[in-house]
Amino acid sequence: MQEAGGPVPAADADRSDELVDAVMTASRVLVAIAARSLAAAGEVSLPQYRALVVLASRGPQRAVDLAAALGVNPSSATRLCDRLSRAGLVRRQRQSADRRAVKVALSPRGRELVVEVTQRRREEFERLLGDLPAEQHELVISALRAIADAAGEVPERDMAVGLGWS
């Protein structure tokens, strides 16, 4: 077992570089698919869409909690929510127990947008993955689930339930 901060053996460093390079290469493909599906919807920016996805997957959030999930300052999240609210994609809900507390939730229109973009992405992934040899499916599933788990992402099937899909 290696001590933290100690020298990294060259073979381990090479494998680490190879791992990072492989993920970065794959991420270009994933980002391109996400960008195309979002551009087809034409209504929101990528940061705005990310906020909608967080609300779809985690439910109504306080702006400060949404900011933490997005990795932005609370004031940035508040401005983002203002734009989404003006576009009719989110609504603000006052909490009855504490009238100062406000949560942001998807509006029906916001939910429809997330469903539409997600469906476009799903269709493109189905086409892409249809070319992948069957014997590699389990390997890809395991690797991508591990990455999503490490990032704290909600599994797609859980988000689908939150969006009312069966």
Side-chain angles (χ1 to χ4, degrees):
M1 179 118 173
Q2 175 161 340
E3 288 184 42
V8 176
D12 290 348
D14 289 345
R15 288 303 283 171
S16 179
D17 285 346
E18 189 178 354
L19 174 64
V20 170
D21 287 348
V23 171
M24 289 182 67
T25 302
S27 76
R28 286 196 307 267
V29 174
L30 302 176
V31 168
I33 290 171
R36 283 192 298 270
S37 63
L38 188 56
E43 287 190 58
V44 295
S45 68
L46 186 55
Q48 290 170 336
Y49 179 71
R50 180 70 184 136
L52 295 175
V53 169
V54 168
L55 294 171
S57 64
R58 300 180 184 181
Q61 304 273 303
R62 297 179 307 156
V64 69
D65 299 324
L66 183 59
L70 297 173
V72 300
N73 293 322
S75 62
S76 296
T78 298
R79 286 191 302 276
L80 186 139
C81 289
D82 289 343
R83 288 189 295 275
L84 292 172
S85 180
R86 283 193 298 273
L89 299 170
V90 299
R91 62 180 190 276
R92 290 185 165 95
Q93 304 169 327
R94 290 220 178 269
Q95 303 303 296
S96 59
D98 180 359
R99 295 194 40 81
R100 294 172 298 166
V102 176
K103 286 193 174 180
V104 179
L106 282 179
S107 69
R109 186 167 167 224
R111 186 170 306 282
E112 288 171 13
L113 179 68
V114 172
V115 168
E116 175 188 342
V117 172
T118 300
Q119 186 59 38
R120 286 178 192 271
R121 281 181 40 228
R122 183 171 206 86
E123 290 167 2
E124 194 162 345
F125 279 125
E126 286 171 353
R127 280 192 297 277
L128 173 70
L129 296 172
D131 294 336
L132 190 67
E135 61 271 10
Q136 292 182 353
H137 290 190
E138 199 55 46
L139 177 64
V140 171
I141 291 167
S142 296
L144 294 177
R145 281 186 179 157
I147 292 169
D149 288 347
E153 273 298 318
V154 174
E156 190 72 17
R157 65 186 168 275
D158 293 350
M159 190 172 119
V161 170
L163 288 170
W165 303 345
S166 52

